[in-house]
Structures are given as structure tokens and as C-alpha cells.
Amino acid sequence: MMKSPLQRTIAAACISPIWIAAFFLLTGMITATAQKVPPTFAMPSQYYHVGPNPNAIAAADLTGNGLPDIVTVDRGELHDPREERPANDEASLLLAELPFDYIRRHPSLKTGFGPYAIALSNVDGLKWPDIIIANFHAARHRNLSVFLNLKDDGVFKALEFEMPENLLSYHRHYDGEDMPMYTQPGLTAVAIRDLNNDGLRDLIATGWSSDVLVFMPGHEEKVFDAPRFMPAPGGPREFSLTHLDDDDLLDLAVVMYATSEITLFKGDDTGNFTEYDRFSSRGALPTTLQTGDINGDGKIDIITSHAHTDDSIVIFYGDKPFLFPLSQEIMLGEDRGVLEHEIRDIIVADMNNNGRLDIVAACYASRKITVLFNESKDNKLPQHFRRESYTFTDSRPRALWVADFDTDQRPDIAVALWESNTVGIMRNIR
């Protein structure tokens, strides 16, 4: 009898040749949700309207009332960059008045075209988190939109930053007239950290269209100084700043959408990142990357997911510095040749407060949120997961954020939804 895809043997990914000999097989195990186990989350009781096609979502207390406010970047559809409006250009701000009670700020925040990724972080030295948005289709040279939080009833000061095109090349798709289908650098991910140890918040982003990492050092007056570009061939899509060795300097794990690889970059104390190694993501069209200690052995693991027919989540378990010799694949679908779920976002967090990291996946094609609860008893591999799935009948989950939205010490899930263009919050009821 043939085994189901959830019982198939999983193999380690193709890492650098010097490490191939260390690979061995792991059996990925995942159990179906038992009928006697009540659901952990309640479906949203209310949906909050945002702009078209919310591509990313983040939450933080922007007003100082102790409740997380929600920001979505609403990219719309990506059209020809030569058009007057090649994409939407707004971000929606949902201000929390009470737990699960939000008022949408009007007007929306005006961004560059195709806002794609978001970070909430204090970048101006004041107390409150600011909003930093990376724009994909910046046809008017508004690559980065920053909104400084003045903490005055949703008032923000808008700043725009441009990436000089003369320092960038284009590496992606062309149309029938041999013209670029997208713009440079095509930002898809952004994060804010002090990367050069000067006490100021720096910016790191991925430039998908130009195969670059973008570093912008913090500046006391201008917020960010001129960008610096580092090569990252393969279509860098998403990344995680983490420690991949023991030198206390932040490194980068980056997922390459075009080449289906994970690339590791070693960081220094000046904001530079140098490629150290790369290996297969074990699937096509990897779109996400998260890091965390999944098996509780004190070492950082890398988690990615694929939006192609693999419908898979793969965990690469850390061993020695910059080495991930073992991997575990979790297939959400039944047939590797059929697109059943189309995983568009994942979050790694302890969703049931048991001390182990779980995985939440936004599945666009199947309209589901799938939660994989880590029920392993130790750090032995493979880890064991229990699945719960939640279906949205009139919407398609696209992006996720996890936070305690009602201050009850239990993590809830905020979901950005396409088709309905809304945000719903799945309350943790366990």
C-alpha cells in the first residue's frame, strides 16, 4: 500500500559538497487533528476593511494605549511600470480602541507604488514605533516610504527615499517588447536593526529585481543615509537577521525565489554581508523564511515554505556554525504535482505556550490557515506536529502576524485577506 505524502521519507537538502557526506534521511511525521481536540482558535467575529490586495501585515502599539495597532501594505495589482499607475500606493492603519475593536484611519498612508513589505520600529529616536515600507513598483523613485510616528491621534510625518538606478542592474522578467516587466530594485522584504553598532537603527532590504541586498545606515537627521548594495544572485525574496555563528554579529539567511535556494551571509560590524554558503530549499518558488530553535537544542534552525505544487514547509536544523546538514519536510498537500494550498506566508511562534515553536501557514489557494503544533517531547529528529486547519470561504489568506491582541497572555493570529480586502483576527480560545 502506498504511503500518504505526510508519511513519506524526507531527505536532506543539497548543501555544499564538503557536507554532502553528512546527510541522512529523516521521516517527517505529522498527525491529523483528532476529532476530540477542540480548536485552538476562533474564526474572526469581525473583519476590518483595508486597501486592495494587502500584501503584508504588522502590529505594534503605535498610540501608547497598550493595545496592538495593525498596519497593512496594500499593493493592488502589479502592472506595466510604464503606466501612470502601475500598482496601488497606500497602506492601511487600523487603530485599536478596545481589544478586537479597530477604527480605520482615513485617509490611508500614501506610499510608493506596489508597497510590498513593512517593518514597525523606532527610527527617529523618539519613543514610539515608526512605519517603514518597502515599495516594489517604485516607478516614481519612491523606493522606501517612512512614516514617523508623532503620537498625535494617528498623525505621521512622511519621508521618501530613492535607490539610485545608475548603481543597479535588472535581472528579472521582460515582456514581448523586451522591456522590463518590473522596476529596480523591486524591494520585497525589509527589517530595521542597528547593524554597525553606532546606536542608530539601520535598514536592510532585499532587491528582488536587481539581485541585491540593500543596506542603509541610520542617520541622526535624515533617518537613513545613502544606500549600499551587496550582490545576492538568485532573486532574494525574504530573509531573517539571526546569529549563524558565535561572534555576536548578526548574519543573514535569505531565500532565493528564482533559484530555489537558501543563501547564508556572514555579517560584520559595518553593515556588510558576504555570501558564505547556499543550498537547495527542497522545493520550487520558496517565498518565506523564518528562523528559530524548532527542536529546542539551543541551535538556530531555518524554516521556509513553497508557493508551488510542492505545497511544503521545510525545516533545516542547525548544527555547527553556518551548517544545516539535516532537514525535515512537511507536505500540506496530497499530491506533489498539484497546487493545492499555495503557501504565501508563515509565522514561527509558540502558539500554545508549551515552550515549543509552532508554525502557522497562510494558504492562498485552499483559503486555509494551517497551524502545525509542535508536540515533540525532546529534541530528537524528526519533530512531531499536529495540524489544525481553518477555512475562509469568501477570502484568501495572504499574510500573517502573531500578537496578543486582547492582552490575555495568549497569542492570536491576524490574517490579511485578498478578495475581501480585509483583516481578520483569529482569537486564541485555549
Side-chain angles (χ1 to χ4, degrees), residues 129-320:
D130 306 302
I131 302 172
I132 301 92
I133 295 173
N135 301 312
F136 183 88
H137 233 343
R140 304 296 183 266
H141 308 294
R142 299 165 66 186
N143 298 91
L144 188 73
S145 300
V146 176
F147 300 91
L148 301 180
N149 187 357
L150 304 183
K151 195 185 172 289
D152 185 12
D153 194 25
V155 176
F156 294 84
K157 178 182 178 181
L159 302 174
E160 300 288 348
F161 295 85
E162 175 185 347
M163 307 291 173
E165 290 185 357
N166 62 316
L167 299 179
L168 293 166
S169 56
Y170 183 81
H171 293 279
R172 295 277 81 84
H173 306 311
Y174 294 84
D175 62 17
E177 300 177 357
D178 203 30
M179 295 293 295
M181 293 178 61
Y182 304 110
T183 50
Q184 302 161 315
L187 302 182
T188 57
V190 64
I192 307 295
R193 298 285 285 274
D194 181 4
L195 298 174
N196 56 8
N197 298 314
D198 63 356
L200 300 174
R201 298 292 182 94
D202 310 310
L203 178 144
I204 188 79
T206 49
W208 176 84
S209 298
S210 300
D211 281 353
V212 294
L213 303 176
V214 181
F215 171 71
M216 298 180 70
H219 191 279
E220 289 185 356
E221 297 179 358
K222 298 185 295 183
V223 179
F224 296 117
D225 213 338
R228 190 163 74 227
F229 303 109
M230 294 161 280
R237 177 67 174 262
E238 184 61 87
F239 67 88
S240 176
L241 281 164
T242 188
H243 294 284
L244 298 177
D245 55 16
D246 302 321
D247 64 3
D248 293 326
L249 298 174
L250 284 170
D251 307 300
L252 270 178
V254 184
V255 67
M256 300 297 181
Y257 185 81
T259 58
S260 298
E261 294 175 305
I262 291 173
T263 305
L264 309 180
F265 292 84
K266 183 173 177 56
D268 62 17
D269 58 358
T270 69
N272 285 321
F273 292 90
T274 304
E275 182 173 333
Y276 189 94
D277 196 11
R278 61 174 59 206
F279 50 89
S280 169
S281 69
R282 296 190 58 193
L285 304 186
T287 56
T288 66
L289 190 141
Q290 297 265 303
T291 55
D293 185 4
I294 292 291
N295 63 332
D297 64 353
K299 301 172 184 177
I300 289 294
D301 308 313
I302 297 173
I303 306 94
T304 191
S305 66
H306 301 90
H308 203 255
T309 58
D310 299 284
D311 282 326
S312 65
I313 296 171
V314 182
I315 306 167
F316 297 90
Y317 291 100
D319 185 15
K320 297 179 181 180

Side-chain angles (χ1 to χ4, degrees), residues 44 47-57 71-79 86-88 90 92 114-117 136 182 237 257 287 307 341-345 362-369 391-400 414-424:
Y47 293 88
Y48 305 95
H49 286 277
V50 295
N53 295 4
N55 197 71
I57 184 172
V71 185
T72 65
V73 289
D74 311 323
R75 64 163 237 203
E77 296 182 4
L78 301 179
H79 296 294
N88 193 46
E90 65 180 326
S92 296
Y116 211 91
F136 183 88
Y182 304 110
R237 177 67 174 262
Y257 185 81
T287 56
H341 294 280
E342 190 180 345
I343 306 167
R344 283 293 172 178
D345 199 9
C363 301
Y364 181 85
S366 62
R367 303 177 182 266
K368 295 180 183 295
I369 294 296
T391 301
F392 291 79
T393 57
D394 300 321
S395 306
R396 295 185 183 274
R398 183 73 179 196
L400 300 168
V415 187
L417 297 156
W418 282 26
E419 291 189 350
S420 64
N421 296 326
T422 59
V423 168

Side-chain angles (χ1 to χ4, degrees), residues 352-385:
N352 53 5
N353 294 327
N354 70 345
R356 290 193 169 272
L357 292 179
D358 311 303
I359 304 171
V360 185
C363 301
Y364 181 85
S366 62
R367 303 177 182 266
K368 295 180 183 295
I369 294 296
T370 295
V371 185
L372 304 176
F373 290 98
N374 190 345
E375 297 190 338
S376 307
K377 303 302 182 183
D378 50 38
N379 61 11
K380 295 180 181 179
L381 305 183
Q383 294 284 281
H384 297 260
F385 296 86

